[in-house]
Amino acid sequence: MATPIDFYFDFSSPYGYFAAELIEGLAVKHGREVHWHPVLLGVIFKATGAIPLLLVPLKGDYAKHDLKRFARLHDLPFAMPSNFPIAGQHASRAVLHVQQQDPQLATQLAQALYRAFFVNDQNIGESEVVLQVAHALGLNTEDLAAGMHSEAVKNMLRDETAAAQARGVFGSPFVIVDDEPFWGVDHLPMLDEWLKRGGF
Amino acid sequence: MATPIDFYFDFSSPYGYFAAELIEGLAVKHGREVHWHPVLLGVIFKATGAIPLLLVPLKGDYAKHDLKRFARLHDLPFAMPSNFPIAGQHASRAVLHVQQQDPQLATQLAQALYRAFFVNDQNIGESEVVLQVAHALGLNTEDLAAGMHSEAVKNMLRDETAAAQARGVFGSPFVIVDDEPFWGVDHLPMLDEWLKRGGF
């Protein structure tokens, strides 16, 4: 079995949302599995001194334009949320909690949360909204609420973020496969080529 | 006649070198001309507070790895220069001077200067090296030396850089076509698609 694709993302990252829509199709094409790693990029940015993309002068305005254009090109629904950025800890913890029981369902939840935020303008920074999205997927929200607020899952997110940072993850989306790092949704075509050729 | 592709680049930009190798082929495919605009990104960075990519923590190391990988994927020769970064004013002024007489020859000079720097490790930050590269192309180096150091050409570079900044150019390579901005060599496939479809 080929090694999995490690997919790192922050729920506040619009390019992360695009990658979340595209990564599974790419993986299936090459017989790979995707391991989904929600991380808190804010924690990593504090360590590296980086600024969220959309707040960078000029580059931020360019990105706002580029995001809409990328969505049109790939036929993905997209609207900048009215509350932005949000803190992704509740959404991230929900995904990590569900992952322990059912990784595939956790992937569906991650995609549903991203769509809630970047398509339907729901504020997934709030735990109630995270639970509503989970409920619509048929999840047991009582179990999920307890899990999301448990120390174990809080630690899990802390550990995931630290592990990502230790592997050199500095942005979202970020993919590592066979120890090869790919940053940004613009690098998915290169990842595709990498998997096709088995490296180059 | 379709409007030209405005191609902005800094001679110290390795991704700019890659774009310089790829942009003419892309333009020909869509019946467009390329207008080459050497600019001094350092001047723009001073205004925007940006840091040169290769000096950014983590991102810089990633970029060094990504550059070599990009070169392999596109079969382009590439080696990080031992003197890096350099000040691109002499190289830029040489190109602007030649452009007044022969735009096509100026494009060849720009590509030759980029290759001298990113393939043959020649320090194009020095005016003598710029003249050597021009000489190898058969240019009149006496005329070029006088032009490069003239107030008229110095002002031209200042104006080009200011005009680029006014159009929102904040990095290298940067392309504007039909008022649509494309930043980074990773965006050339999107530019290709844009020109094919006539926008999207």
Side-chain angles (χ1 to χ4, degrees):
Chain A
M1 181 69 195
T3 55
I5 293 171
D6 284 308
F7 172 52
Y8 298 89
F9 60 99
D10 181 296
F11 272 111
S12 220
S13 160
Y15 288 113
Y17 153 64
F18 293 145
E21 294 289 337
L22 301 170
I23 193 77
E24 289 286 343
L26 197 155
V28 164
K29 213 170 118 182
H30 301 288
R32 302 267 188 158
E33 272 183 14
V34 183
H35 286 191
W36 289 58
H37 301 277
V39 295
L40 297 181
L41 211 50
V43 174
I44 297 177
F45 277 11
K46 244 179 225 166
T48 61
I51 301 166
L53 174 66
L54 293 180
L55 304 182
V56 179
L58 294 176
K59 214 180 271 190
D61 288 336
Y62 171 81
K64 277 177 206 153
H65 179 81
D66 185 55
L67 285 163
K68 286 186 259 176
R69 185 170 62 179
F70 188 96
R72 291 196 305 271
L73 176 58
H74 292 270
D75 220 357
L76 292 169
F78 174 74
M80 269 310 286
S82 31
N83 289 297
F84 184 89
I86 49 99
Q89 67 264 38
H90 295 306
S92 303
R93 287 177 193 146
V95 170
L96 290 176
H97 176 72
V98 177
Q99 256 176 8
Q100 296 173 273
Q101 302 157 5
D102 187 337
Q104 284 201 323
L105 188 58
T107 295
Q108 284 172 37
L109 176 60
Q111 289 175 327
L113 286 165
Y114 254 144
R115 284 174 204 149
F117 189 43
F118 286 112
V119 179
N120 300 325
D121 200 13
Q122 292 174 264
N123 184 352
I124 62 164
E126 295 172 7
S127 57
E128 307 79 57
V129 176
V130 172
L131 292 171
Q132 282 163 25
V133 172
H135 182 74
L137 278 180
L139 277 117
N140 177 337
T141 51
E142 211 168 309
D143 168 72
L144 182 58
M148 274 165 67
H149 296 105
S150 71
E151 278 310 308
V153 173
K154 284 182 186 176
N155 286 334
M156 221 176 275
L157 178 56
R158 221 171 278 131
D159 293 348
E160 276 282 8
T161 300
Q165 193 175 354
R167 292 193 81 184
V169 172
F170 57 81
S172 166
F174 204 103
V175 164
I176 302 179
V177 61
D178 304 333
D179 281 329
E180 191 69 20
F182 298 89
W183 169 47
V185 76
D186 282 338
H187 263 62
L188 292 186
M190 190 190 265
L191 169 63
D192 191 27
E193 201 60 29
W194 184 273
L195 293 172
K196 195 173 104 190
R197 301 194 196 179
F200 46 78
Chain B
M1 181 67 195
T3 55
I5 292 171
D6 284 309
F7 172 51
Y8 297 89
F9 60 99
D10 181 296
F11 272 111
S12 219
S13 162
Y15 288 113
Y17 153 64
F18 293 146
E21 294 289 337
L22 301 170
I23 193 77
E24 289 286 343
L26 196 156
V28 164
K29 213 171 118 182
H30 301 287
R32 301 268 187 157
E33 272 183 14
V34 183
H35 285 190
W36 289 58
H37 300 277
V39 294
L40 297 181
L41 211 51
V43 174
I44 296 176
F45 277 11
K46 243 177 225 167
T48 60
I51 300 166
L53 173 67
L54 293 180
L55 304 181
V56 179
L58 295 176
K59 213 180 272 190
D61 288 336
Y62 171 82
K64 276 176 206 154
H65 179 81
D66 185 55
L67 285 163
K68 285 185 260 175
R69 185 170 61 178
F70 188 95
R72 292 197 305 272
L73 176 58
H74 291 272
D75 220 358
L76 293 169
F78 174 75
M80 269 309 286
S82 31
N83 289 297
F84 184 90
I86 48 100
Q89 67 263 41
H90 295 306
S92 303
R93 286 176 194 148
V95 170
L96 290 175
H97 176 72
V98 177
Q99 257 178 5
Q100 296 173 275
Q101 300 156 7
D102 188 337
Q104 283 200 323
L105 187 58
T107 295
Q108 285 172 37
L109 177 60
Q111 290 174 327
L113 286 164
Y114 254 142
R115 284 173 205 151
F117 189 42
F118 286 111
V119 180
N120 300 324
D121 200 14
Q122 291 175 266
N123 184 352
I124 62 164
E126 294 172 8
S127 58
E128 307 78 58
V129 176
V130 171
L131 292 170
Q132 281 163 25
V133 173
H135 183 72
L137 278 180
L139 277 117
N140 177 337
T141 51
E142 209 169 310
D143 168 72
L144 182 58
M148 273 165 68
H149 297 104
S150 70
E151 278 308 309
V153 173
K154 284 183 186 175
N155 285 333
M156 222 176 275
L157 178 55
R158 220 171 279 133
D159 293 348
E160 275 281 7
T161 301
Q165 192 175 353
R167 290 192 83 185
V169 172
F170 57 81
S172 167
F174 205 102
V175 164
I176 303 179
V177 62
D178 305 334
D179 281 328
E180 191 69 18
F182 297 89
W183 169 47
V185 77
D186 281 339
H187 263 63
L188 292 186
M190 191 191 263
L191 169 63
D192 192 26
E193 201 60 31
W194 184 274
L195 293 172
K196 196 172 102 189
R197 300 195 196 177
F200 45 79

